[in-house]
Amino acid sequence: MAFTKEYTANIVLNLDQVRQMQRAQRNVYDKGLVEQNTNALAAALSTSLSVIGAVFFKYTAPSLAAGIASLLVGMIPSEKEALKSLVINGYWEMGYLQDFLEDNQGRYDLINVKFPFIEYETKGIRFITGKGVVVEVHSTSGGWMLL
């Protein structure tokens, strides 16, 4: 069993990064947690390289894929199911951030989001587990504004 901790942390993102982050988390769920296919996961994550380190703590697609595979080996079935539920919830909630930025294109170009994470400390991997709270937005005309 891996040691875990749950916490919140802020990440500043633009629309493209939100899309990449959402895609990466979906690929982690589909190819890493459900299929458990390390090679397919590494290949899928290669399209999201700019956000992998900020979100998951691993800085290459192969290292993240291998870390997830290693993590799953030490988990009992109920732990795996709980992780799947947390990861898919995080993925789902990211869609609302994408909607927000798309709905406000021309107004905001960056958002500072406080995300809930679960971190598997011994593996050096974390996952977004739920709804991120937009703390502030960056106006396209310049400057940060609190929400």
Side-chain angles (χ1 to χ4, degrees), residues 82-100:
L83 179 57
K84 283 183 192 178
S85 178
L86 291 170
V87 169
I88 197 72
N89 187 51
Y91 156 75
W92 179 263
E93 293 292 343
M94 288 177 211
Y96 294 108
L97 299 175
Q98 180 179 338
D99 292 347
F100 175 80

Side-chain angles (χ1 to χ4, degrees), residues 29-90:
Y29 178 82
D30 290 340
K31 295 178 178 26
L33 301 178
V34 175
E35 294 175 23
Q36 297 183 22
N37 184 330
T38 304
N39 292 332
L41 177 57
L45 288 172
S46 66
T47 63
S48 305
L49 293 177
S50 73
V51 297
I52 286 179
V55 176
F56 301 103
F57 281 165
K58 297 289 185 181
Y59 291 91
T60 68
S63 68
L64 178 56
I68 290 170
S70 174
L71 175 66
L72 292 176
V73 167
M75 290 182 146
I76 61 173
S78 63
E79 289 175 316
K80 289 179 187 178
E81 289 306 312
L83 179 57
K84 283 183 192 178
S85 178
L86 291 170
V87 169
I88 197 72
N89 187 51

Side-chain angles (χ1 to χ4, degrees), residues 15-33:
L15 177 57
D16 184 57
Q17 290 169 320
V18 169
R19 289 177 178 148
Q20 286 185 44
M21 185 175 68
Q22 186 179 28
R23 184 176 186 174
Q25 185 115 340
R26 184 184 66 241
N27 284 325
V28 163
Y29 178 82
D30 290 340
K31 295 178 178 26
L33 301 178

Side-chain angles (χ1 to χ4, degrees), residues 126-146:
R126 69 180 184 175
F127 304 95
I128 294 173
T129 60
K131 183 178 175 114
V133 176
V134 178
V135 177
E136 57 186 355
V137 294
H138 186 266
S139 171
T140 54
S141 60
W144 286 94
M145 298 178 292
L146 294 175

